[in-house]
Amino acid sequence: MKPIISAPDTNEPLTEIQIDRIIEMAWEDRTPFDAITFQFGLVEADVKALMKKELKWSSYKLWRTRVENCKTKHSAKRSADIDRFKCTRQRAITNNKISKR
């Protein structure tokens, strides 16, 4: 498989596991783009490009509509009361640097 996007800090191509995790985090309503940037170094535009390449067109359109209307995906729209990347009831996720802090 050809590398789709490389991590900006290392310039190494993302692994399939990392790509799957980024897609999973992008679909989660509670996970802001800042969390993806923190963990993988991809800004919102990079995530959008990755999603566009990896998803079917109809799935990508559904995701974009969902993200545009979701107040928790963007830190600027997010309530100041929320100061974490994940739900307090969420179990630790493997391959997730944030949950291991």
Side-chain angles (χ1 to χ4, degrees), residues 82-100:
I82 302 172
D83 61 350
R84 62 190 183 280
F85 288 148
K86 64 177 187 164
C87 176
T88 56
R89 296 175 304 280
Q90 183 178 352
R91 291 185 179 169
I93 301 170
T94 57
N95 299 321
N96 187 353
K97 284 191 241 177
I98 296 167
S99 67
K100 295 179 181 160

mmCIF file of all heavy atoms in Angstrom, residues 82-100:
data_model
loop_
_atom_site.group_PDB
_atom_site.id
_atom_site.type_symbol
_atom_site.label_atom_id
_atom_site.label_comp_id
_atom_site.label_asym_id
_atom_site.label_seq_id
_atom_site.Cartn_x
_atom_site.Cartn_y
_atom_site.Cartn_z
ATOM 1 N N ILE A 82 -15.299 21.541 29.089
ATOM 2 C CA ILE A 82 -14.694 20.294 28.617
ATOM 3 C C ILE A 82 -13.203 20.538 28.447
ATOM 4 O O ILE A 82 -12.777 21.287 27.580
ATOM 5 C CB ILE A 82 -15.317 19.839 27.283
ATOM 6 C CG1 ILE A 82 -16.823 19.655 27.442
ATOM 7 C CG2 ILE A 82 -14.657 18.552 26.805
ATOM 8 C CD1 ILE A 82 -17.542 19.387 26.145
ATOM 9 N N ASP A 83 -12.399 19.874 29.278
ATOM 10 C CA ASP A 83 -10.958 20.076 29.224
ATOM 11 C C ASP A 83 -10.196 18.773 29.027
ATOM 12 O O ASP A 83 -9.051 18.648 29.386
ATOM 13 C CB ASP A 83 -10.469 20.785 30.489
ATOM 14 C CG ASP A 83 -10.749 19.972 31.746
ATOM 15 O OD1 ASP A 83 -11.483 18.976 31.660
ATOM 16 O OD2 ASP A 83 -10.219 20.342 32.806
ATOM 17 N N ARG A 84 -10.840 17.786 28.440
ATOM 18 C CA ARG A 84 -10.198 16.490 28.234
ATOM 19 C C ARG A 84 -10.434 16.038 26.798
ATOM 20 O O ARG A 84 -11.319 16.537 26.117
ATOM 21 C CB ARG A 84 -10.756 15.462 29.212
ATOM 22 C CG ARG A 84 -12.236 15.226 29.040
ATOM 23 C CD ARG A 84 -12.834 14.399 30.160
ATOM 24 N NE ARG A 84 -14.222 14.135 29.927
ATOM 25 C CZ ARG A 84 -15.210 14.990 30.161
ATOM 26 N NH1 ARG A 84 -14.956 16.171 30.634
ATOM 27 N NH2 ARG A 84 -16.461 14.670 29.916
ATOM 28 N N PHE A 85 -9.634 15.070 26.354
ATOM 29 C CA PHE A 85 -9.758 14.554 24.994
ATOM 30 C C PHE A 85 -10.728 13.386 24.898
ATOM 31 O O PHE A 85 -11.137 13.024 23.829
ATOM 32 C CB PHE A 85 -8.401 14.084 24.473
ATOM 33 C CG PHE A 85 -7.453 15.190 24.151
ATOM 34 C CD1 PHE A 85 -6.108 15.013 24.311
ATOM 35 C CD2 PHE A 85 -7.887 16.409 23.691
ATOM 36 C CE1 PHE A 85 -5.207 16.010 23.998
ATOM 37 C CE2 PHE A 85 -7.013 17.421 23.380
ATOM 38 C CZ PHE A 85 -5.666 17.214 23.531
ATOM 39 N N LYS A 86 -11.052 12.767 26.010
ATOM 40 C CA LYS A 86 -11.924 11.599 25.954
ATOM 41 C C LYS A 86 -12.918 11.630 27.096
ATOM 42 O O LYS A 86 -12.741 12.340 28.067
ATOM 43 C CB LYS A 86 -11.106 10.307 26.000
ATOM 44 C CG LYS A 86 -10.347 10.122 27.288
ATOM 45 C CD LYS A 86 -9.622 8.795 27.295
ATOM 46 C CE LYS A 86 -9.024 8.565 28.668
ATOM 47 N NZ LYS A 86 -8.655 7.216 28.883
ATOM 48 N N CYS A 87 -13.939 10.846 26.961
ATOM 49 C CA CYS A 87 -14.962 10.741 27.988
ATOM 50 C C CYS A 87 -14.356 10.124 29.250
ATOM 51 O O CYS A 87 -13.498 9.250 29.169
ATOM 52 C CB CYS A 87 -16.092 9.864 27.457
ATOM 53 S SG CYS A 87 -17.397 9.549 28.649
ATOM 54 N N THR A 88 -14.799 10.578 30.408
ATOM 55 C CA THR A 88 -14.261 10.049 31.658
ATOM 56 C C THR A 88 -14.615 8.581 31.842
ATOM 57 O O THR A 88 -13.939 7.866 32.573
ATOM 58 C CB THR A 88 -14.787 10.841 32.863
ATOM 59 O OG1 THR A 88 -16.225 10.824 32.835
ATOM 60 C CG2 THR A 88 -14.298 12.270 32.828
ATOM 61 N N ARG A 89 -15.670 8.124 31.181
ATOM 62 C CA ARG A 89 -16.086 6.722 31.308
ATOM 63 C C ARG A 89 -15.459 5.815 30.256
ATOM 64 O O ARG A 89 -15.660 4.616 30.246
ATOM 65 C CB ARG A 89 -17.607 6.638 31.225
ATOM 66 C CG ARG A 89 -18.281 7.354 32.377
ATOM 67 C CD ARG A 89 -19.795 7.366 32.230
ATOM 68 N NE ARG A 89 -20.269 7.950 30.987
ATOM 69 C CZ ARG A 89 -20.379 9.255 30.740
ATOM 70 N NH1 ARG A 89 -20.032 10.128 31.653
ATOM 71 N NH2 ARG A 89 -20.841 9.694 29.599
ATOM 72 N N GLN A 90 -14.696 6.386 29.334
ATOM 73 C CA GLN A 90 -14.084 5.617 28.254
ATOM 74 C C GLN A 90 -12.888 4.824 28.766
ATOM 75 O O GLN A 90 -12.060 5.330 29.504
ATOM 76 C CB GLN A 90 -13.634 6.567 27.149
ATOM 77 C CG GLN A 90 -13.048 5.867 25.954
ATOM 78 C CD GLN A 90 -12.673 6.863 24.862
ATOM 79 O OE1 GLN A 90 -13.001 8.032 24.962
ATOM 80 N NE2 GLN A 90 -11.988 6.400 23.863
ATOM 81 N N ARG A 91 -12.810 3.589 28.362
ATOM 82 C CA ARG A 91 -11.674 2.748 28.750
ATOM 83 C C ARG A 91 -10.439 3.160 27.969
ATOM 84 O O ARG A 91 -10.521 3.810 26.935
ATOM 85 C CB ARG A 91 -11.984 1.283 28.451
ATOM 86 C CG ARG A 91 -13.049 0.729 29.338
ATOM 87 C CD ARG A 91 -13.198 -0.737 29.064
ATOM 88 N NE ARG A 91 -14.209 -1.283 29.937
ATOM 89 C CZ ARG A 91 -14.705 -2.472 29.806
ATOM 90 N NH1 ARG A 91 -14.291 -3.266 28.847
ATOM 91 N NH2 ARG A 91 -15.617 -2.899 30.634
ATOM 92 N N ALA A 92 -9.303 2.762 28.474
ATOM 93 C CA ALA A 92 -8.048 3.053 27.778
ATOM 94 C C ALA A 92 -8.067 2.378 26.411
ATOM 95 O O ALA A 92 -8.514 1.247 26.261
ATOM 96 C CB ALA A 92 -6.870 2.553 28.594
ATOM 97 N N ILE A 93 -7.581 3.070 25.411
ATOM 98 C CA ILE A 93 -7.560 2.563 24.041
ATOM 99 C C ILE A 93 -6.127 2.188 23.698
ATOM 100 O O ILE A 93 -5.205 2.952 23.948
ATOM 101 C CB ILE A 93 -8.074 3.625 23.062
ATOM 102 C CG1 ILE A 93 -9.500 4.033 23.433
ATOM 103 C CG2 ILE A 93 -8.005 3.130 21.629
ATOM 104 C CD1 ILE A 93 -9.990 5.239 22.677
ATOM 105 N N THR A 94 -5.941 1.032 23.108
ATOM 106 C CA THR A 94 -4.596 0.622 22.717
ATOM 107 C C THR A 94 -4.101 1.512 21.601
ATOM 108 O O THR A 94 -4.879 2.061 20.834
ATOM 109 C CB THR A 94 -4.593 -0.846 22.251
ATOM 110 O OG1 THR A 94 -5.524 -0.960 21.173
ATOM 111 C CG2 THR A 94 -4.954 -1.783 23.354
ATOM 112 N N ASN A 95 -2.818 1.657 21.489
ATOM 113 C CA ASN A 95 -2.158 2.496 20.490
ATOM 114 C C ASN A 95 -2.566 3.960 20.607
ATOM 115 O O ASN A 95 -2.574 4.688 19.641
ATOM 116 C CB ASN A 95 -2.463 2.008 19.064
ATOM 117 C CG ASN A 95 -1.984 0.617 18.828
ATOM 118 O OD1 ASN A 95 -0.915 0.241 19.289
ATOM 119 N ND2 ASN A 95 -2.770 -0.165 18.116
ATOM 120 N N ASN A 96 -2.905 4.396 21.813
ATOM 121 C CA ASN A 96 -3.347 5.771 22.019
ATOM 122 C C ASN A 96 -2.446 6.413 23.077
ATOM 123 O O ASN A 96 -2.542 6.099 24.242
ATOM 124 C CB ASN A 96 -4.810 5.766 22.471
ATOM 125 C CG ASN A 96 -5.388 7.157 22.543
ATOM 126 O OD1 ASN A 96 -4.677 8.141 22.390
ATOM 127 N ND2 ASN A 96 -6.672 7.247 22.789
ATOM 128 N N LYS A 97 -1.591 7.334 22.659
ATOM 129 C CA LYS A 97 -0.666 7.985 23.579
ATOM 130 C C LYS A 97 -1.400 8.755 24.675
ATOM 131 O O LYS A 97 -0.938 8.816 25.791
ATOM 132 C CB LYS A 97 0.216 8.985 22.819
ATOM 133 C CG LYS A 97 1.294 8.377 22.015
ATOM 134 C CD LYS A 97 2.218 9.480 21.555
ATOM 135 C CE LYS A 97 2.268 9.565 20.058
ATOM 136 N NZ LYS A 97 3.088 10.646 19.569
ATOM 137 N N ILE A 98 -2.523 9.335 24.344
ATOM 138 C CA ILE A 98 -3.232 10.181 25.283
ATOM 139 C C ILE A 98 -3.721 9.392 26.488
ATOM 140 O O ILE A 98 -3.624 9.853 27.623
ATOM 141 C CB ILE A 98 -4.402 10.880 24.581
ATOM 142 C CG1 ILE A 98 -3.864 11.802 23.502
ATOM 143 C CG2 ILE A 98 -5.243 11.666 25.570
ATOM 144 C CD1 ILE A 98 -4.904 12.317 22.552
ATOM 145 N N SER A 99 -4.234 8.182 26.264
ATOM 146 C CA SER A 99 -4.773 7.404 27.375
ATOM 147 C C SER A 99 -3.690 6.856 28.296
ATOM 148 O O SER A 99 -3.974 6.373 29.367
ATOM 149 C CB SER A 99 -5.637 6.245 26.849
ATOM 150 O OG SER A 99 -4.812 5.324 26.163
ATOM 151 N N LYS A 100 -2.432 6.913 27.873
ATOM 152 C CA LYS A 100 -1.342 6.343 28.667
ATOM 153 C C LYS A 100 -0.601 7.388 29.480
ATOM 154 O O LYS A 100 0.410 7.100 30.056
ATOM 155 C CB LYS A 100 -0.386 5.617 27.732
ATOM 156 C CG LYS A 100 -1.043 4.426 27.089
ATOM 157 C CD LYS A 100 -0.134 3.720 26.143
ATOM 158 C CE LYS A 100 -0.908 2.564 25.541
ATOM 159 N NZ LYS A 100 -0.353 2.085 24.338
#
